[in-house]
Amino acid sequence: METVAELGSDGRHPAPTNPVAMEDPRADAAAVVPTLAGTDALPDQDTAAGARKRKAPAPATATAKAVRKPRERQVEEPIQMPVYYGCRKEFFSVNGDDLVEDCSYLYAKNKCEHIVGELPLQPHSMSLVDLQLWIFKLFRLHPETQDLKIKGFLKQRTTGLYDEEEPEWYMEYCPWDSCDFYSDKYWSSFAKKLKRKINVTQKFMLYVQSSEIKHYDILLKAINDDYSQLLTVVLPGTESLTSSQFGSRGLVNDLTMTAKEIAAYLTLTGHYDKQISPAEVWRARQIAIEREFGTFYDSHNFAPRLLKEIVRKNPGGFVDIKDAEVAGCKDFRVLQHMFWAFAQCLQAFRTCRPVLCIKGKALCGKYQGVLLTAVALDANDSSIPIACAIVEADTKESWLWFLRNLERAVVHQSHICIIHDYKRELIDAVEDLLSSRQRLWRRAESRWCMEDLAKNFFAYFGDQNLVMMFKKLCQQNRRHKFSNIWKELDELTSKYMVEKEHGASAKMQQESVEHDVPELEAENPCNQPDHVDENNRKITKFSDWIHLKPKEKWSLAYDSDGARYGIMGSDIADVYKNDPVLKGITCLPLSAIVEVTFVRLVEYFENASAAANKAMGNPSISFPELVQVDMNSKMQKAEMHNYFQKYTDDENVVGGEENWKFTVKGRKREVTVHLKSENTLSMNRSEGSTIQKTATCTCNKPQLLHKPCSHVIAICCEVGVSTATYMSPYYCLPSLVCTWKPKFNKFSHDYRDVAPVYFRDNIPTWIPDKRLECGLPVCLSSDCVQTVVEEEQQSSI
């Protein structure tokens, strides 16, 4: 296909275009009409490669003394530059004959595709950055393309002034001179040769290569009408948009480095005296990542292939790819959503508490997207990523798609509890899943993350002391203490809101006096309520804010059936920063996210398995480390309790079931402990029935946490019963060993090949949605580049 495009009149920034054609913005220039031609068409000789021909010598005049007319000034015309792409050779080995095969016939056969763009009148005045921007606009490339390579080809033939005019095919035997544009010097040397010269016939062309350009024709068909190309931000002093003067390897080794840490590392390793701006830091990181893992563009094709390879080597995993067709290109598809759950993680979850914590975080690479994750906790509260997904945006539809795939992938013998953030899109998606008649989980409930709800609380009551009290309320297990904290929180928040309103009113009155604003207008300039919730109810205290939020969703004391297992969300609030598998991965390309998480999981499981087996072989250890520490603390507390036994009315035996009730007196109050044994039928009839022993206490901890409290421990020590009898099996050492027992089979790294053996049949090529392109972050491209926005950088690196 052949189209024509040109720069704006300044010779630097491209003129705006639409996705179909590019028009000449100058009124005094002739309009250049795009033409369509297939790659096998026979184009005109002058459009196959840029050409200039010498003029034939004028015939001798009859009279030597004829008066010579003044020479007319020739109007300089823009250069029509053919730009070739798509050659399958390595870039450094491409030569002119690989692009256009010259022959003695008066036509040229295109070996690869090309388009024709219009260079400015004086191309030698362009810098290499100008040329790269021109290529970006010509091919509608991503504004942060950093793998673009450009080289030029030129052939020319000089003849005498009165030589006979040569046939055009003479030029075909001249060799091509090539020049790789590594810097301004190389491009300037090539551009100067493009000047018009007397008696010199020239042919010239450019060859470009990048991961995105190779699919240029396909991307044109996939571009929607609402696509608008982003501009590339050129930083002061930039000599090339596709290279970095900074070191790279160290920027990939630690993905959690902040902007300041990266700048310090680059300064230390490169011995740079000048200050490195945040924008330079960001681009240096992007270049380092692409050199290590491949480009962000190619990762959309590599990631599904890698997942299929991992599942092939590790049966039992679950992968789902959602994509869209490209009209007229059956072998290409636009990647939209991607879900995966490794077999080893699914197997590990079977011996973990049946609680899944759902989190999402925006990607910070070159394409918009959100990483969704379901995380479980083992007996030691170590996080395990059970499933992940990449979606286009944080919407209800995306969350619902993720949750339905999670339901298909995760199988657990108990009911599932989903702990998630307090956001409307996620709440609606969870409600739709749990109310669906096609639900696969036998029993499922949802709870809210305490840490995320606390952030919402802080938005209304901006005081950290009040936030700490709210978290204390959420984690309280006794309901009478819960009520007392609630009342105290109401008083403090009411006082805080009164003081806040008085302070705001005084400030407005002061501003009205200083700026001579009418008092009524200053009190409420926008006619908006002072402080309201999502239902426009005025908030004056804590009860007003929490009124419509069900207690069982956010409080431990009202957690029905102990569905949370005591997990409030603090352990996974910063999972993308602290988790050994997930930390720092949101800055990576898609395929690198999959690859890095898998590699980290292999090491993570090996280390955790070794530690669990070591604890299992130690006779002095009865429980996992954190559980053992908690039990030791409760044992010390149990020694301070007094007790006396109380029998049930049925004399402890009713139909083979035993019931024991004890009253335990602590330092402040008495509690009642109920030990119960009952026969339960197994799901498998051949196994018969089993005796299940449970313990409850009026302190509520055994019911909520599924492990004995200090009161139950005191009774167990007195009657000679092991405390493990009333401990949930999820907290036992054998369960911990089973959790980390699965082994991984490593995948083959040839998934980046164009067509591996096992992918040759019915495997499409996936491309990204160009509407999701991201340029340089706004906070980094501002004039104040010396100031590092620490919070923004920590979320994007």
Side-chain angles (χ1 to χ4, degrees):
M1 181 175 67
E2 180 177 317
T3 58
V4 179
E6 60 280 336
L7 288 176
S9 57
D10 58 357
R12 182 180 183 89
H13 298 290
T17 63
N18 59 51
V20 178
M22 304 184 188
E23 300 176 355
D24 191 342
R26 293 168 301 209
D28 59 344
V32 182
V33 181
T35 60
L36 299 177
T39 57
D40 294 332
L42 302 179
D44 182 72
Q45 176 71 16
D46 291 339
T47 62
R52 289 197 182 114
K53 302 176 183 178
R54 65 179 180 86
K55 291 186 176 181
T61 57
T63 305
K65 294 183 179 181
V67 179
R68 180 175 296 178
K69 294 182 180 180
R71 187 174 184 179
E72 295 182 1
R73 185 176 180 181
Q74 294 183 352
V75 178
E76 191 171 1
E77 297 179 355
I79 297 177
Q80 303 297 322
M81 176 64 72
V83 184
Y84 285 79
Y85 64 96
C87 185
R88 298 196 175 187
K89 281 189 174 182
E90 293 292 336
F91 179 79
F92 65 86
S93 63
V94 174
N95 55 58
D97 291 333
D98 295 323
L99 309 181
V100 177
E101 182 180 7
D102 297 328
C103 57
S104 58
Y105 302 99
L106 297 181
Y107 67 88
K109 178 182 178 182
N110 290 333
K111 283 190 170 182
C112 59
E113 300 179 8
H114 75 282
I115 59 178
V116 177
E118 186 177 282
L119 286 176
L121 296 178
Q122 296 179 343
H124 59 275
S125 65
M126 296 173 62
S127 67
L128 179 59
V129 172
D130 295 331
L131 178 65
Q132 291 167 342
L133 289 172
W134 183 75
I135 296 295
F136 282 12
K137 190 66 177 178
L138 189 64
F139 286 91
R140 300 182 181 89
L141 296 182
H142 191 290
E144 289 298 322
T145 298
Q146 292 170 325
D147 68 327
L148 176 65
K149 299 177 183 178
I150 313 174
K151 64 166 47 178
F153 296 96
L154 175 70
K155 64 166 61 177
Q156 57 187 10
R157 182 176 177 83
T158 305
T159 58
L161 181 62
Y162 297 104
D163 290 348
E164 294 182 1
E165 185 175 1
E166 298 174 346
E168 293 182 359
W169 53 266
Y170 274 29
M171 191 67 179
E172 313 304 342
Y173 293 98
C174 296
W176 288 100
D177 294 330
S178 65
C179 179
D180 292 2
F181 303 147
Y182 298 114
S183 65
D184 272 332
K185 180 180 69 174
Y186 294 94
W187 157 247
S188 178
S189 174
F190 179 85
K192 289 178 180 178
K193 298 178 183 178
L194 301 182
K195 292 183 179 180
R196 295 181 181 273
K197 299 176 183 178
I198 300 176
N199 302 325
V200 176
T201 303
Q202 292 180 325
K203 283 192 175 183
F204 42 78
M205 57 187 175
L206 298 180
Y207 177 72
V208 294
Q209 188 178 88
S210 79
S211 56
E212 186 175 350
I213 285 179
K214 64 177 179 281
H215 295 150
Y216 171 70
D217 294 341
I218 306 301
L219 290 172
L220 282 183
K221 297 179 180 179
I223 287 178
N224 297 286
D225 294 336
D226 57 351
Y227 171 72
S228 178
Q229 187 179 18
L230 301 177
L231 295 178
T232 301
V233 177
V234 181
L235 303 175
T238 301
E239 297 179 357
S240 175
L241 297 173
T242 59
S243 63
S244 174
Q245 60 178 320
F246 305 120
S248 61
R249 180 63 185 176
L251 304 183
V252 181
N253 293 337
D254 185 3
L255 298 175
T256 61
M257 293 173 68
T258 63
K260 287 184 177 180
E261 292 171 343
I262 293 177
Y265 168 82
L266 294 174
T267 303
L268 179 64
T269 57
H271 306 289
Y272 301 112
D273 296 330
K274 69 173 185 177
Q275 184 179 5
I276 304 174
S277 70
E280 290 175 309
V281 168
W282 187 84
R283 282 181 171 164
R285 166 63 72 86
Q286 300 300 310
I287 291 177
I289 287 174
E290 291 197 337
R291 288 175 180 172
E292 181 70 18
F293 299 106
T295 65
F296 282 84
Y297 177 87
D298 280 335
S299 70
H300 288 73
N301 186 35
F302 293 156
R305 294 170 180 268
L306 175 57
L307 287 174
K308 293 178 182 294
E309 165 66 357
I310 291 176
V311 172
R312 189 178 71 89
K313 290 291 187 69
N314 299 268
F318 183 88
V319 173
D320 186 26
I321 306 296
K322 181 180 179 182
D323 51 24
E325 293 183 355
V326 177
C329 304
K330 64 177 182 179
D331 295 331
F332 287 82
R333 303 185 71 86
V334 177
L335 184 64
Q336 296 175 328
H337 296 170
M338 186 171 64
F339 177 97
W340 71 93
F342 298 137
Q344 294 79 1
C345 297
L346 295 175
Q347 184 179 346
F349 181 60
R350 296 178 182 177
T351 51
C352 294
R353 285 164 284 179
V355 179
L356 288 172
C357 303
I358 309 299
K359 283 289 178 180
K361 185 173 178 60
L363 301 180
C364 50
K366 296 184 179 180
Y367 293 90
Q368 299 175 34
V370 182
L371 172 63
L372 310 181
T373 313
V375 179
L377 299 177
D378 74 347
N380 268 329
D381 286 344
S382 297
S383 57
I384 309 173
I386 303 301
C388 298
I390 303 292
V391 296
E392 293 179 338
D394 185 0
T395 62
K396 173 188 173 182
E397 292 72 20
S398 297
W399 279 110
L400 187 57
W401 180 84
F402 171 74
L403 291 170
R404 284 174 175 167
N405 274 313
L406 185 64
E407 188 182 33
R408 294 165 59 192
V410 173
V411 178
H412 204 282
Q413 64 270 24
S414 181
H415 66 279
I416 300 293
C417 177
I418 299 175
I419 298 180
H420 56 86
D421 290 347
Y422 179 73
K423 59 173 65 176
R424 177 50 52 192
E425 300 85 2
L426 186 49
I427 292 174
D428 292 343
V430 172
E431 289 179 356
D432 283 3
L433 176 75
L434 300 185
S435 61
S436 174
R437 293 183 178 181
Q438 289 78 30
R439 193 179 71 189
L440 301 178
W441 286 329
R442 184 165 51 91
R443 287 188 59 190
E445 299 185 49
S446 70
R447 301 288 186 266
W448 296 341
C449 174
M450 178 188 70
E451 293 293 335
D452 187 75
L453 191 61
K455 293 179 182 178
N456 190 276
F457 175 90
F458 183 76
Y460 286 91
F461 311 102
D463 186 277
Q464 287 295 343
N465 293 326
L466 294 178
V467 172
M468 296 302 296
M469 183 172 288
F470 171 68
K471 291 182 179 180
K472 183 179 179 181
L473 177 69
C474 294
Q475 298 175 89
Q476 182 53 242
N477 57 282
R478 294 193 178 188
R479 294 192 177 185
H480 69 278
K481 289 186 177 181
F482 180 88
S483 300
N484 294 336
I485 298 175
W486 184 305
K487 292 179 182 179
E488 185 180 0
L489 199 54
D490 261 351
E491 295 175 0
L492 294 176
T493 51
S494 178
K495 182 180 178 181
Y496 172 83
M497 295 301 291
V498 170
E499 293 176 352
K500 183 177 180 180
E501 290 182 1
H502 287 172
S505 177
K507 184 178 179 180
M508 287 184 178
Q509 289 180 3
Q510 182 179 359
E511 291 179 352
S512 66
V513 172
E514 293 177 355
H515 302 285
D516 196 20
V517 179
E519 184 176 353
L520 292 177
E521 183 181 350
E523 289 180 359
N524 198 352
C526 300
N527 296 321
Q528 294 293 333
D530 296 331
H531 216 154
V532 298
D533 61 9
E534 57 269 20
N535 295 316
N536 291 325
R537 295 173 64 253
K538 186 174 181 179
I539 296 176
T540 60
K541 57 183 179 180
F542 169 70
S543 293
D544 297 334
W545 177 76
I546 203 72
H547 174 66
L548 298 177
K549 300 175 178 64
K551 293 179 182 178
E552 65 272 10
K553 296 290 186 181
W554 56 270
S555 66
L556 182 62
Y558 290 87
D559 181 25
S560 56
D561 299 327
R564 283 181 176 268
Y565 279 74
I567 300 174
M568 301 302 296
S570 301
D571 299 297
I572 49 91
D574 295 325
V575 68
Y576 294 107
K577 292 182 180 179
N578 303 326
D579 184 82
V581 176
L582 301 176
K583 61 181 180 181
I585 65 172
T586 53
C587 68
L588 297 175
L590 302 190
S591 57
I593 290 176
V594 177
E595 180 177 342
V596 170
T597 52
F598 184 87
V599 172
R600 287 178 174 178
L601 278 170
V602 173
E603 182 180 2
Y604 189 34
F605 268 67
E606 289 177 353
N607 296 338
S609 179
N613 290 327
K614 182 179 179 180
M616 191 71 177
N618 190 341
S620 62
I621 300 179
S622 304
F623 301 101
E625 182 179 359
L626 289 185
V627 180
Q628 186 70 58
V629 171
D630 182 49
M631 293 298 293
N632 292 341
S633 175
K634 291 178 179 178
M635 286 287 291
Q636 295 177 0
K637 192 175 181 180
E639 294 176 355
M640 304 174 64
H641 296 328
N642 297 320
Y643 74 96
F644 63 90
Q645 183 175 350
K646 179 182 178 181
Y647 291 98
T648 58
D649 296 337
D650 53 13
E651 297 183 356
N652 303 326
V653 179
V654 178
E657 298 183 359
E658 296 183 357
N659 294 276
W660 299 79
K661 284 187 177 181
F662 302 87
T663 300
V664 179
K665 185 176 182 180
R667 290 180 299 174
K668 296 182 179 180
R669 60 180 56 84
E670 293 183 354
V671 297
T672 300
V673 175
H674 187 190
L675 303 183
K676 185 177 181 181
S677 300
E678 58 181 349
N679 294 325
T680 58
L681 294 177
S682 174
M683 296 294 293
N684 189 351
R685 295 184 179 181
S686 62
E687 297 180 0
S689 62
T690 58
I691 298 177
Q692 182 179 3
K693 295 185 177 183
T694 58
T696 59
C697 180
T698 53
C699 76
N700 236 8
K701 287 185 179 180
Q703 298 94 299
L704 297 174
L705 306 180
H706 302 274
K707 53 185 176 181
C709 59
S710 61
H711 311 108
V712 174
I713 292 176
I715 297 299
C716 289
C717 292
E718 184 63 25
V719 299
V721 178
S722 173
T723 56
T725 305
Y726 301 102
M727 179 82 70
S728 169
Y730 300 125
Y731 297 106
C732 298
L733 265 178
S735 294
L736 183 65
V737 173
C738 291
T739 297
W740 301 104
K741 185 179 180 180
K743 304 296 181 182
F744 290 81
N745 297 319
K746 297 183 179 181
F747 60 88
S748 173
H749 283 78
D750 62 354
Y751 70 91
R752 296 182 187 176
D753 294 344
V754 177
V757 175
Y758 40 84
F759 288 150
R760 286 178 181 171
D761 297 330
N762 302 322
I763 298 297
T765 297
W766 286 277
I767 59 176
D769 188 341
K770 288 186 69 65
R771 294 176 300 175
L772 302 179
E773 291 176 344
C774 296
L776 187 70
V778 176
C779 67
L780 304 181
S781 58
S782 62
D783 295 334
C784 302
V785 293
Q786 295 85 0
T787 303
V788 179
V789 185
E790 186 68 27
E791 204 174 283
E792 180 73 17
Q793 282 299 326
Q794 287 182 355
S795 65
S796 64
I797 294 182

